[in-house]
Amino acid sequence: MLKPITHIYPDLSHFHTACADFFIKRVQIAIAAQGYCSVALCGGNTPKPIYQLLAQPEYASQIRWDKVFIFWGDERWVPHDHIDSNYRMACELWLNQVPIPPDHIYPIPYEQTAEASAASYGLTLRTFFNNRSPRLDLVLLGLGEDGHTASLFPHTSALHEKNAWTSTVFVPKLNSNRTTLTATFINQSVHVTFWVEGQKKAATLKQVLEGPYSPDMLPAQLICPQSGQLWWLLDGAVAQNL
Ligand code: 6PG
């Protein structure tokens, strides 16, 4: 496993710009190397300003969008037009404004059950990777204050899934079902980056990076790419205790 690379930026503005620049560079390198790039997006609030930056012409014009394929690392089990949908958020802030072919966007489906959504997405992934090496080129991840990432929440069965590429999680504190990529599948990826900012997550980040290995409590610790590169892009506030 390659040693994780950590970059700390002095303030939120530099952090957002750095994350957008990182995305562009990684996508460009993948396309140059293999002719396409598969990316799994994260949800939540952290990426919103970054997605808005990436929608700007000076960023969007740097990407061959017909060579990009978009997936999600996790999704709330809600219709795609629901205010909580990660798919809706990314489309409204970014993807609707760039010339990516619609059939290059693979939302996690909202099926009759969360389990059916996960099963359907697993099939989507396997179909996409059918004649490709089964590894995403870039995975974007956030970090929750409770140490979760994607929808890999503490003390849930999804953490221990060793074979499936997707799983479902019921999150009691959110009273919601979610579908998530498993750590097993994320760890097959070429590049995995955490984008984390804010003083409120500083204690959790220190525990994840420097505390004892306890992935049931801190699922972000499960993310360790087998042969890929793990990146931590942080702002100064969240990294203050490192
Ligand atoms: C989601 C995300 C989730 C998120 C963390 C951090 O669906 O909400 O995928 O894993 O990245 O909860 O969320 P914030 O960026 O809002 O702090």
PDB file of all heavy atoms in Angstrom, residues 106-128:
ATOM      1  N   TYR A 106     -24.116   7.807 -13.993  1.00  0.00           N
ATOM      2  CA  TYR A 106     -24.725   6.598 -13.436  1.00  0.00           C
ATOM      3  C   TYR A 106     -25.176   6.845 -11.997  1.00  0.00           C
ATOM      4  O   TYR A 106     -24.446   6.554 -11.040  1.00  0.00           O
ATOM      5  CB  TYR A 106     -23.730   5.443 -13.461  1.00  0.00           C
ATOM      6  CG  TYR A 106     -23.284   5.021 -14.838  1.00  0.00           C
ATOM      7  CD1 TYR A 106     -22.208   5.635 -15.468  1.00  0.00           C
ATOM      8  CD2 TYR A 106     -23.958   4.002 -15.522  1.00  0.00           C
ATOM      9  CE1 TYR A 106     -21.794   5.239 -16.732  1.00  0.00           C
ATOM     10  CE2 TYR A 106     -23.548   3.596 -16.796  1.00  0.00           C
ATOM     11  CZ  TYR A 106     -22.466   4.226 -17.395  1.00  0.00           C
ATOM     12  OH  TYR A 106     -22.061   3.832 -18.651  1.00  0.00           O
ATOM     13  N   PRO A 107     -26.371   7.424 -11.830  1.00  0.00           N
ATOM     14  CA  PRO A 107     -26.867   7.620 -10.445  1.00  0.00           C
ATOM     15  C   PRO A 107     -27.209   6.295  -9.793  1.00  0.00           C
ATOM     16  O   PRO A 107     -27.530   5.318 -10.476  1.00  0.00           O
ATOM     17  CB  PRO A 107     -28.126   8.468 -10.638  1.00  0.00           C
ATOM     18  CG  PRO A 107     -28.580   8.170 -12.030  1.00  0.00           C
ATOM     19  CD  PRO A 107     -27.337   7.918 -12.830  1.00  0.00           C
ATOM     20  N   ILE A 108     -27.105   6.268  -8.488  1.00  0.00           N
ATOM     21  CA  ILE A 108     -27.560   5.093  -7.747  1.00  0.00           C
ATOM     22  C   ILE A 108     -29.090   5.082  -7.835  1.00  0.00           C
ATOM     23  O   ILE A 108     -29.728   6.082  -7.463  1.00  0.00           O
ATOM     24  CB  ILE A 108     -27.083   5.129  -6.287  1.00  0.00           C
ATOM     25  CG1 ILE A 108     -25.542   5.051  -6.243  1.00  0.00           C
ATOM     26  CG2 ILE A 108     -27.717   3.983  -5.494  1.00  0.00           C
ATOM     27  CD1 ILE A 108     -24.946   5.178  -4.850  1.00  0.00           C
ATOM     28  N   PRO A 109     -29.688   4.034  -8.354  1.00  0.00           N
ATOM     29  CA  PRO A 109     -31.137   4.061  -8.615  1.00  0.00           C
ATOM     30  C   PRO A 109     -31.967   4.055  -7.338  1.00  0.00           C
ATOM     31  O   PRO A 109     -31.537   3.548  -6.305  1.00  0.00           O
ATOM     32  CB  PRO A 109     -31.388   2.785  -9.418  1.00  0.00           C
ATOM     33  CG  PRO A 109     -30.300   1.864  -8.999  1.00  0.00           C
ATOM     34  CD  PRO A 109     -29.100   2.732  -8.710  1.00  0.00           C
ATOM     35  N   TYR A 110     -33.125   4.646  -7.405  1.00  0.00           N
ATOM     36  CA  TYR A 110     -34.086   4.627  -6.297  1.00  0.00           C
ATOM     37  C   TYR A 110     -35.097   3.525  -6.609  1.00  0.00           C
ATOM     38  O   TYR A 110     -36.003   3.704  -7.392  1.00  0.00           O
ATOM     39  CB  TYR A 110     -34.788   5.974  -6.170  1.00  0.00           C
ATOM     40  CG  TYR A 110     -35.872   5.988  -5.106  1.00  0.00           C
ATOM     41  CD1 TYR A 110     -35.566   5.724  -3.779  1.00  0.00           C
ATOM     42  CD2 TYR A 110     -37.195   6.264  -5.437  1.00  0.00           C
ATOM     43  CE1 TYR A 110     -36.551   5.735  -2.799  1.00  0.00           C
ATOM     44  CE2 TYR A 110     -38.186   6.275  -4.475  1.00  0.00           C
ATOM     45  CZ  TYR A 110     -37.863   6.010  -3.155  1.00  0.00           C
ATOM     46  OH  TYR A 110     -38.843   6.017  -2.206  1.00  0.00           O
ATOM     47  N   GLU A 111     -34.825   2.366  -6.037  1.00  0.00           N
ATOM     48  CA  GLU A 111     -35.688   1.216  -6.301  1.00  0.00           C
ATOM     49  C   GLU A 111     -36.704   1.036  -5.163  1.00  0.00           C
ATOM     50  O   GLU A 111     -36.730   1.813  -4.212  1.00  0.00           O
ATOM     51  CB  GLU A 111     -34.819  -0.046  -6.422  1.00  0.00           C
ATOM     52  CG  GLU A 111     -33.707   0.046  -7.462  1.00  0.00           C
ATOM     53  CD  GLU A 111     -34.195  -0.218  -8.877  1.00  0.00           C
ATOM     54  OE1 GLU A 111     -35.426  -0.387  -9.042  1.00  0.00           O
ATOM     55  OE2 GLU A 111     -33.357  -0.246  -9.794  1.00  0.00           O
ATOM     56  N   GLN A 112     -37.476  -0.035  -5.247  1.00  0.00           N
ATOM     57  CA  GLN A 112     -38.526  -0.289  -4.249  1.00  0.00           C
ATOM     58  C   GLN A 112     -37.965  -0.419  -2.834  1.00  0.00           C
ATOM     59  O   GLN A 112     -38.595  -0.057  -1.852  1.00  0.00           O
ATOM     60  CB  GLN A 112     -39.270  -1.594  -4.592  1.00  0.00           C
ATOM     61  CG  GLN A 112     -40.176  -1.473  -5.817  1.00  0.00           C
ATOM     62  CD  GLN A 112     -41.270  -0.425  -5.592  1.00  0.00           C
ATOM     63  OE1 GLN A 112     -41.940  -0.428  -4.551  1.00  0.00           O
ATOM     64  NE2 GLN A 112     -41.399   0.496  -6.525  1.00  0.00           N
ATOM     65  N   THR A 113     -36.760  -0.989  -2.753  1.00  0.00           N
ATOM     66  CA  THR A 113     -36.089  -1.093  -1.450  1.00  0.00           C
ATOM     67  C   THR A 113     -34.640  -0.630  -1.606  1.00  0.00           C
ATOM     68  O   THR A 113     -34.104  -0.621  -2.737  1.00  0.00           O
ATOM     69  CB  THR A 113     -36.069  -2.559  -0.944  1.00  0.00           C
ATOM     70  OG1 THR A 113     -35.244  -3.330  -1.859  1.00  0.00           O
ATOM     71  CG2 THR A 113     -37.474  -3.136  -0.861  1.00  0.00           C
ATOM     72  N   ALA A 114     -34.032  -0.281  -0.481  1.00  0.00           N
ATOM     73  CA  ALA A 114     -32.616   0.126  -0.516  1.00  0.00           C
ATOM     74  C   ALA A 114     -31.757  -1.039  -0.990  1.00  0.00           C
ATOM     75  O   ALA A 114     -30.788  -0.855  -1.734  1.00  0.00           O
ATOM     76  CB  ALA A 114     -32.176   0.600   0.862  1.00  0.00           C
ATOM     77  N   GLU A 115     -32.165  -2.242  -0.590  1.00  0.00           N
ATOM     78  CA  GLU A 115     -31.423  -3.445  -0.997  1.00  0.00           C
ATOM     79  C   GLU A 115     -31.466  -3.609  -2.509  1.00  0.00           C
ATOM     80  O   GLU A 115     -30.467  -3.915  -3.160  1.00  0.00           O
ATOM     81  CB  GLU A 115     -31.994  -4.689  -0.310  1.00  0.00           C
ATOM     82  CG  GLU A 115     -31.721  -4.774   1.194  1.00  0.00           C
ATOM     83  CD  GLU A 115     -32.536  -3.786   2.015  1.00  0.00           C
ATOM     84  OE1 GLU A 115     -33.510  -3.213   1.467  1.00  0.00           O
ATOM     85  OE2 GLU A 115     -32.163  -3.525   3.188  1.00  0.00           O
ATOM     86  N   ALA A 116     -32.643  -3.346  -3.089  1.00  0.00           N
ATOM     87  CA  ALA A 116     -32.772  -3.452  -4.548  1.00  0.00           C
ATOM     88  C   ALA A 116     -31.929  -2.379  -5.236  1.00  0.00           C
ATOM     89  O   ALA A 116     -31.313  -2.630  -6.283  1.00  0.00           O
ATOM     90  CB  ALA A 116     -34.242  -3.320  -4.955  1.00  0.00           C
ATOM     91  N   SER A 117     -31.861  -1.193  -4.630  1.00  0.00           N
ATOM     92  CA  SER A 117     -31.022  -0.120  -5.193  1.00  0.00           C
ATOM     93  C   SER A 117     -29.565  -0.552  -5.207  1.00  0.00           C
ATOM     94  O   SER A 117     -28.851  -0.381  -6.205  1.00  0.00           O
ATOM     95  CB  SER A 117     -31.177   1.161  -4.370  1.00  0.00           C
ATOM     96  OG  SER A 117     -32.483   1.677  -4.483  1.00  0.00           O
ATOM     97  N   ALA A 118     -29.128  -1.123  -4.099  1.00  0.00           N
ATOM     98  CA  ALA A 118     -27.727  -1.551  -4.001  1.00  0.00           C
ATOM     99  C   ALA A 118     -27.425  -2.660  -4.998  1.00  0.00           C
ATOM    100  O   ALA A 118     -26.399  -2.635  -5.693  1.00  0.00           O
ATOM    101  CB  ALA A 118     -27.420  -2.011  -2.582  1.00  0.00           C
ATOM    102  N   ALA A 119     -28.340  -3.621  -5.101  1.00  0.00           N
ATOM    103  CA  ALA A 119     -28.131  -4.736  -6.038  1.00  0.00           C
ATOM    104  C   ALA A 119     -28.090  -4.234  -7.477  1.00  0.00           C
ATOM    105  O   ALA A 119     -27.215  -4.610  -8.271  1.00  0.00           O
ATOM    106  CB  ALA A 119     -29.253  -5.752  -5.876  1.00  0.00           C
ATOM    107  N   SER A 120     -28.988  -3.327  -7.791  1.00  0.00           N
ATOM    108  CA  SER A 120     -29.041  -2.777  -9.144  1.00  0.00           C
ATOM    109  C   SER A 120     -27.758  -2.014  -9.468  1.00  0.00           C
ATOM    110  O   SER A 120     -27.185  -2.135 -10.552  1.00  0.00           O
ATOM    111  CB  SER A 120     -30.256  -1.850  -9.265  1.00  0.00           C
ATOM    112  OG  SER A 120     -30.244  -1.142 -10.471  1.00  0.00           O
ATOM    113  N   TYR A 121     -27.266  -1.250  -8.484  1.00  0.00           N
ATOM    114  CA  TYR A 121     -26.035  -0.472  -8.731  1.00  0.00           C
ATOM    115  C   TYR A 121     -24.829  -1.381  -8.871  1.00  0.00           C
ATOM    116  O   TYR A 121     -23.926  -1.110  -9.669  1.00  0.00           O
ATOM    117  CB  TYR A 121     -25.817   0.561  -7.630  1.00  0.00           C
ATOM    118  CG  TYR A 121     -25.051   1.774  -8.099  1.00  0.00           C
ATOM    119  CD1 TYR A 121     -25.462   2.478  -9.238  1.00  0.00           C
ATOM    120  CD2 TYR A 121     -23.935   2.247  -7.440  1.00  0.00           C
ATOM    121  CE1 TYR A 121     -24.780   3.597  -9.685  1.00  0.00           C
ATOM    122  CE2 TYR A 121     -23.239   3.376  -7.874  1.00  0.00           C
ATOM    123  CZ  TYR A 121     -23.680   4.027  -9.002  1.00  0.00           C
ATOM    124  OH  TYR A 121     -22.979   5.142  -9.439  1.00  0.00           O
ATOM    125  N   GLY A 122     -24.825  -2.454  -8.100  1.00  0.00           N
ATOM    126  CA  GLY A 122     -23.730  -3.422  -8.234  1.00  0.00           C
ATOM    127  C   GLY A 122     -23.682  -3.978  -9.642  1.00  0.00           C
ATOM    128  O   GLY A 122     -22.619  -4.095 -10.253  1.00  0.00           O
ATOM    129  N   LEU A 123     -24.854  -4.247 -10.205  1.00  0.00           N
ATOM    130  CA  LEU A 123     -24.929  -4.754 -11.581  1.00  0.00           C
ATOM    131  C   LEU A 123     -24.470  -3.684 -12.577  1.00  0.00           C
ATOM    132  O   LEU A 123     -23.738  -3.967 -13.523  1.00  0.00           O
ATOM    133  CB  LEU A 123     -26.377  -5.164 -11.886  1.00  0.00           C
ATOM    134  CG  LEU A 123     -26.617  -6.029 -13.119  1.00  0.00           C
ATOM    135  CD1 LEU A 123     -25.773  -7.300 -13.073  1.00  0.00           C
ATOM    136  CD2 LEU A 123     -28.110  -6.363 -13.237  1.00  0.00           C
ATOM    137  N   THR A 124     -24.872  -2.442 -12.325  1.00  0.00           N
ATOM    138  CA  THR A 124     -24.434  -1.332 -13.180  1.00  0.00           C
ATOM    139  C   THR A 124     -22.913  -1.241 -13.209  1.00  0.00           C
ATOM    140  O   THR A 124     -22.299  -1.117 -14.279  1.00  0.00           O
ATOM    141  CB  THR A 124     -25.022  -0.009 -12.660  1.00  0.00           C
ATOM    142  OG1 THR A 124     -26.445  -0.048 -12.747  1.00  0.00           O
ATOM    143  CG2 THR A 124     -24.481   1.192 -13.423  1.00  0.00           C
ATOM    144  N   LEU A 125     -22.308  -1.334 -12.037  1.00  0.00           N
ATOM    145  CA  LEU A 125     -20.847  -1.249 -11.948  1.00  0.00           C
ATOM    146  C   LEU A 125     -20.189  -2.423 -12.663  1.00  0.00           C
ATOM    147  O   LEU A 125     -19.237  -2.258 -13.442  1.00  0.00           O
ATOM    148  CB  LEU A 125     -20.412  -1.204 -10.491  1.00  0.00           C
ATOM    149  CG  LEU A 125     -20.710   0.099  -9.733  1.00  0.00           C
ATOM    150  CD1 LEU A 125     -20.608  -0.131  -8.230  1.00  0.00           C
ATOM    151  CD2 LEU A 125     -19.780   1.214 -10.183  1.00  0.00           C
ATOM    152  N   ARG A 126     -20.703  -3.618 -12.431  1.00  0.00           N
ATOM    153  CA  ARG A 126     -20.087  -4.795 -13.052  1.00  0.00           C
ATOM    154  C   ARG A 126     -20.240  -4.743 -14.576  1.00  0.00           C
ATOM    155  O   ARG A 126     -19.338  -5.149 -15.315  1.00  0.00           O
ATOM    156  CB  ARG A 126     -20.675  -6.079 -12.455  1.00  0.00           C
ATOM    157  CG  ARG A 126     -20.234  -6.272 -11.004  1.00  0.00           C
ATOM    158  CD  ARG A 126     -20.603  -7.632 -10.427  1.00  0.00           C
ATOM    159  NE  ARG A 126     -20.231  -7.711  -9.008  1.00  0.00           N
ATOM    160  CZ  ARG A 126     -18.995  -8.006  -8.563  1.00  0.00           C
ATOM    161  NH1 ARG A 126     -18.023  -8.223  -9.438  1.00  0.00           N
ATOM    162  NH2 ARG A 126     -18.718  -8.057  -7.266  1.00  0.00           N
ATOM    163  N   THR A 127     -21.382  -4.222 -15.037  1.00  0.00           N
ATOM    164  CA  THR A 127     -21.573  -4.086 -16.479  1.00  0.00           C
ATOM    165  C   THR A 127     -20.588  -3.064 -17.050  1.00  0.00           C
ATOM    166  O   THR A 127     -19.951  -3.304 -18.078  1.00  0.00           O
ATOM    167  CB  THR A 127     -23.020  -3.648 -16.780  1.00  0.00           C
ATOM    168  OG1 THR A 127     -23.913  -4.607 -16.198  1.00  0.00           O
ATOM    169  CG2 THR A 127     -23.264  -3.527 -18.274  1.00  0.00           C
ATOM    170  N   PHE A 128     -20.428  -1.949 -16.364  1.00  0.00           N
ATOM    171  CA  PHE A 128     -19.499  -0.917 -16.846  1.00  0.00           C
ATOM    172  C   PHE A 128     -18.071  -1.447 -16.887  1.00  0.00           C
ATOM    173  O   PHE A 128     -17.326  -1.221 -17.843  1.00  0.00           O
ATOM    174  CB  PHE A 128     -19.565   0.320 -15.956  1.00  0.00           C
ATOM    175  CG  PHE A 128     -18.586   1.390 -16.347  1.00  0.00           C
ATOM    176  CD1 PHE A 128     -18.874   2.266 -17.383  1.00  0.00           C
ATOM    177  CD2 PHE A 128     -17.354   1.500 -15.703  1.00  0.00           C
ATOM    178  CE1 PHE A 128     -17.968   3.246 -17.771  1.00  0.00           C
ATOM    179  CE2 PHE A 128     -16.430   2.477 -16.082  1.00  0.00           C
ATOM    180  CZ  PHE A 128     -16.739   3.346 -17.117  1.00  0.00           C
TER     181      PHE A 128
END
